[in-house]
Amino acid sequence: MTSVLDDWLQPRPGGGAGGVSDRFSRLRSPVDERRDGEADADHPDAGLVSTGPQTRFHERVTYGLRTVLNAQAPGDLVAVSRMDVLLGPDRRARPDVSLVDDLAASDDRRTCYLAEEVRLVIEVVGPDSAAPDRDLRPRHYAAAGIPHFWRVESTDCRPFVCSFELDADGAGYQVTGVHHTRLAVDAPFPIDIDLERLPR
């Protein structure tokens, strides 16, 4: 006897990004890359286990940064939330916000983006993700060649942003600033964000 759930987790034929296979079996992430309590593409073998709770701070900052980035971005870039990024043949991640090429973002059938289509990734640090957000994921993003990385931390639920860019040899990220009330950077495009007045 078969169940209606037998094929529930199988991808549709032809799925993927730009001809890249999106089969779970080929995109398995190591267990140490998974966010605690998450059952998503960071750890596809987690099956039907529900995701852990998200704080309002995390949701608010993710939404606010995506909204502000889209308001300021040039026409060839789009900010998206919680979309998978392929970092290699057997590794993927799901940043809180990614800044991707408009051509890739305009395809609503996409389930993931290639690392070379991504200009910036943002992780909002939470209680269960602090260690990977500060160490593991930046190393993986740098190894995949993503040029810019922001890590959002908080003091009494007020966000501040540590901004990074790939160093000259592409081996890792170097700090470009720590931004407490206002984030003003020139790359990946000129950005000016009032961190105390993010859209809610």
Side-chain angles (χ1 to χ4, degrees):
M1 182 169 106
T2 61
S3 162
V4 348
L5 296 177
D6 285 348
D7 296 323
W8 188 70
L9 290 176
Q10 297 300 317
R12 284 183 258 180
V20 176
S21 172
D22 199 19
R23 292 185 179 276
F24 291 121
S25 61
R26 294 187 185 176
L27 296 172
R28 254 166 236 221
S29 300
V31 172
D32 63 351
E33 191 175 20
R34 161 186 159 207
R35 291 181 193 224
D36 291 340
E38 284 197 352
D40 59 20
D42 283 333
H43 188 58
D45 290 336
L48 300 178
V49 178
S50 62
T51 60
Q54 172 178 238
T55 64
R56 168 62 176 145
F57 172 82
H58 190 282
E59 188 273 338
R60 175 174 64 83
V61 171
T62 298
Y63 169 81
L65 288 173
R66 178 187 177 190
T67 301
V68 172
L69 284 172
N70 277 326
Q72 297 183 19
D76 62 338
L77 295 173
V78 176
V80 299
S81 297
R82 304 290 296 152
M83 287 292 293
D84 285 9
V85 177
L86 301 185
L87 303 177
D90 60 353
R91 176 169 289 133
R92 66 164 55 196
R94 186 173 291 172
D96 291 313
V97 180
S98 303
L99 190 68
V100 303
D101 295 338
D102 176 65
L103 185 60
S106 65
D107 183 353
D108 286 340
R109 297 166 301 175
R110 295 283 290 266
T111 62
C112 56
Y113 301 110
L114 306 177
E116 56 263 33
E117 296 171 324
V118 180
R119 310 287 183 86
L120 164 71
V121 287
I122 303 172
E123 294 288 0
V124 180
V125 175
D128 296 331
S129 69
D133 285 347
R134 291 173 182 155
D135 179 48
L136 183 67
R137 291 191 181 99
R139 285 192 281 118
H140 290 169
Y141 295 147
I146 296 173
H148 300 277
F149 170 67
W150 294 355
R151 189 182 73 234
V152 182
E153 305 268 1
S154 67
T155 303
D156 297 326
C157 289
R158 297 175 65 188
F160 67 92
V161 177
C162 303
S163 59
F164 303 84
E165 67 181 8
L166 276 179
D167 58 24
D169 59 5
Y173 287 115
Q174 60 185 7
V175 177
T176 59
V178 178
H179 315 268
H180 284 274
T181 58
R182 180 173 172 249
L183 190 157
V185 294
D186 294 327
F189 62 89
I191 300 168
D192 192 342
I193 300 175
D194 184 344
L195 294 172
E196 296 188 327
R197 294 181 178 274
L198 287 173
R200 301 169 65 86

